[in-house]
Amino acid sequence: MPTPNKAADVAELEDKFRSSNAVVLTEYRGLTVAQLKTLRRSLGENAQYAVVKNTLTKIAANNAGITSLDDQFTGPTGAAFITGDPVESAKGLRDFAKENPNLIIKGGVLDGKALSADEIKKLADLESREVLLSKLAGAFKGKQSQTASLLQALPSKLVRTVDALRAKQAEQGGAE
């Protein structure tokens, strides 16, 4: 029979799983409290890092409809619950893990899809959402400029072609 405290913990974790865009599970064995504090800051404003109990977190994830993480709830586990841009938080985790090899990224889930540790590292290599949107806007603007230039060139080319035809007809008419 679960205690009221454990039931409340499961409900809170389940709520975090449901409200997060992404969740990344890590092993934090060997990290100090100060290093964990630094890790929490490096994730950005849109993520919360929590040291979690495997059994309760597994129950909460399953209640939230996430069963792909079941085999990753072994050893000391920390979870990064990401509500904003997952790229920013993935970069924070990757960079922190480079400086602190005791942090091991186990895997995670993004919008309901399971991610391996390598996929999370690839996610960290992406540019931020804002940069990608600005590049897309620049590409659209460039295509519009090309289209405008093309549309301006067509009438002038038509005029030159008609003038060339008139000149040719005048030459042929004068030669006869």
Side-chain angles (χ1 to χ4, degrees):
M1 181 69 74
T3 65
N5 287 344
K6 288 182 181 180
D9 290 345
V10 168
E12 181 183 346
L13 287 168
E14 183 181 342
D15 189 43
K16 285 184 179 182
F17 274 107
R18 290 185 193 279
S19 63
S20 298
N21 298 344
V23 178
V24 178
L25 297 180
T26 64
E27 183 175 321
Y28 64 91
R29 186 186 327 252
L31 293 178
T32 65
V33 173
Q35 288 172 321
L36 286 174
K37 189 175 182 180
T38 304
L39 171 61
R40 286 182 175 99
R41 274 190 252 121
S42 71
L43 292 177
E45 298 175 3
N46 299 323
Q48 290 181 326
Y49 185 82
V51 172
V52 295
K53 293 185 178 182
N54 289 329
T55 306
L56 299 180
T57 308
K58 184 177 178 179
I59 293 169
N62 288 335
N63 288 349
I66 301 169
T67 57
S68 57
L69 299 176
D70 285 355
D71 60 338
Q72 296 177 8
F73 292 112
T74 58
T77 303
F81 296 98
I82 304 164
T83 55
D85 184 12
V87 174
E88 177 187 354
S89 298
K91 284 181 184 193
L93 281 168
R94 178 200 59 198
D95 295 344
F96 185 85
K98 281 182 184 176
E99 295 174 14
N100 301 282
N102 287 336
L103 181 77
I104 299 168
I105 298 173
K106 295 181 181 182
V109 63
L110 173 65
D111 293 330
K113 181 189 176 291
L115 297 176
S116 68
D118 290 334
E119 290 172 322
I120 292 170
K121 290 174 185 170
K122 287 179 186 175
L123 180 67
D125 291 336
L126 289 176
E127 293 172 331
S128 71
R129 183 176 189 274
E130 290 78 20
V131 171
L132 291 174
L133 287 174
S134 66
K135 283 186 175 184
L136 182 63
F140 281 139
K141 185 177 179 183
K143 292 296 179 191
Q144 288 175 343
S145 298
Q146 287 176 343
T147 303
S149 298
L150 178 66
L151 292 176
Q152 285 178 331
L154 288 176
S156 63
K157 187 173 182 179
L158 177 67
V159 169
R160 286 193 304 270
T161 304
V162 170
D163 284 344
L165 281 174
R166 278 192 207 146
K168 188 174 183 180
Q169 285 178 349
E171 284 178 19
Q172 288 177 353
E176 291 179 26

